[in-house]
């Protein structure tokens, strides 16, 4: 994943990756190459862009990491249902409240269709749908055509405030003795 923070003086770009060594390179060489590439491509002045690399702590709760994992499994020729269920299981074992995976395109036959795999529950509407659900969409180029992959993971805590609890969470207290 990637996060861009803009200020009047400079732009900070945070790259989130599971394997940060591959992004950094030896002696941060690759990070410097990426910085200069972004400066040249988008017309930034020298020193106006700064790149940082951040490690994804919970790989199972990251929708982008799980979508890439599903993509690699499908590239290796694993059946769609088996690959989707293994990704769902790893996300649920990491502590997700719910997972939804949608794979669409030419799966087996000449006709394109879409398959949904769900486990747990996912908040969909309003602000909780934004705060608690991590979403990623990616594509996979196969011989028959392009497969679209969507992964949604309902997180146990908010992405922005780790102390916030879900609004639909109800706790029943013990009755008081009089």
């Amino acid at each position: 994943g990637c996060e861009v923070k803009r200020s009047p003086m400079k732009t900070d770009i945070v790259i989130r990756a599971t394997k940060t060594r591959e992004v950094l390179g030896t002696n941060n060489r690759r990070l410097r190459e990426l910085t200069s590439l972004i400066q040249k491509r988008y017309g930034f002045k020298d020193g106006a862009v700064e790149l940082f690399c951040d490690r994804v702590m919970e790989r199972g709760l990251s929708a982008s990491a799980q979508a890439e994992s599903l993509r690699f499994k499908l590239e290796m020729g694993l059946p769609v249902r088996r690959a989707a269920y293994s990704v769902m299981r790893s996300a649920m074992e990491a502590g997700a409240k719910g997972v939804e995976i949608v794979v669409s395109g030419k799966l087996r036959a000449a006709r394109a269709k879409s398959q949904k795999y769900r486990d747990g529950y996912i908040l969909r509407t309003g602000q909780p749908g934004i705060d608690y659900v991590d979403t990623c969409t990616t594509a996979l180029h196969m011989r028959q055509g392009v497969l679209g992959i969507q992964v949604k993971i309902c997180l146990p805590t908010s992405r922005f405030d780790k102390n916030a609890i879900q609004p639909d969470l109800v706790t029943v207290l013990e009755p008081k003795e009089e």
Side-chain angles (χ1 to χ4, degrees):
C2 187
E3 184 179 330
V4 179
K5 296 176 187 173
R6 299 188 76 175
S7 65
M9 297 300 290
K10 66 177 182 174
T11 303
D12 293 334
I13 300 173
V14 180
I15 300 170
R16 288 198 172 78
T18 54
K19 299 176 183 175
T20 54
R21 285 187 180 170
E22 292 179 12
V23 176
L24 294 173
T26 55
N27 296 331
N28 292 345
R29 181 177 174 200
R30 184 168 283 150
L31 196 66
R32 288 193 300 271
E33 288 174 357
L34 285 171
T35 305
S36 66
L37 185 86
I38 288 172
Q39 283 177 350
K40 290 175 186 170
R41 182 172 289 171
Y42 297 108
F44 286 107
K45 296 176 183 168
D46 284 340
V49 174
E50 205 165 331
L51 258 69
F52 300 102
C53 188
D54 192 17
R55 187 168 180 265
V56 175
M57 290 300 162
E58 271 300 327
R59 192 170 184 277
L61 295 178
S62 170
S64 58
Q66 294 300 328
E68 288 300 313
S69 171
L70 179 61
R71 192 172 141 221
F72 286 128
K73 287 178 181 183
L74 293 176
E75 275 180 355
M76 295 299 155
L78 205 66
V80 177
R81 182 182 291 136
R82 189 171 181 186
Y85 276 122
S86 71
V87 166
M88 262 190 342
R89 190 179 336 104
S90 69
M92 291 301 283
E93 286 173 357
K97 295 281 185 185
V99 182
E100 180 181 75
I101 296 173
V102 180
V103 182
S104 58
K106 292 184 187 177
L107 300 171
R108 288 202 169 269
R111 188 82 165 183
K113 62 180 177 179
S114 123
Q115 293 182 349
K116 282 187 182 181
Y117 303 95
R118 288 191 195 121
D119 194 9
Y121 73 94
I122 292 191
L123 300 168
R124 294 179 182 273
T125 59
Q127 192 64 37
I130 297 168
D131 291 345
Y132 290 93
V133 178
D134 191 15
T135 307
C136 180
T137 305
T138 186
L140 168 64
H141 297 276
M142 303 283 278
R143 268 184 292 134
Q144 300 107 330
V146 180
L147 287 182
I149 299 170
Q150 285 182 322
V151 177
K152 292 181 184 178
I153 299 177
C154 188
L155 305 171
T157 60
S158 173
R159 292 188 296 164
F160 307 109
D161 183 14
K162 296 296 179 193
N163 296 328
I165 58 170
Q166 291 183 352
D168 62 347
L169 184 69
V170 177
T171 55
V172 178
L173 302 175
E174 291 292 323
K176 292 181 181 178
E177 291 184 28
E178 291 186 48

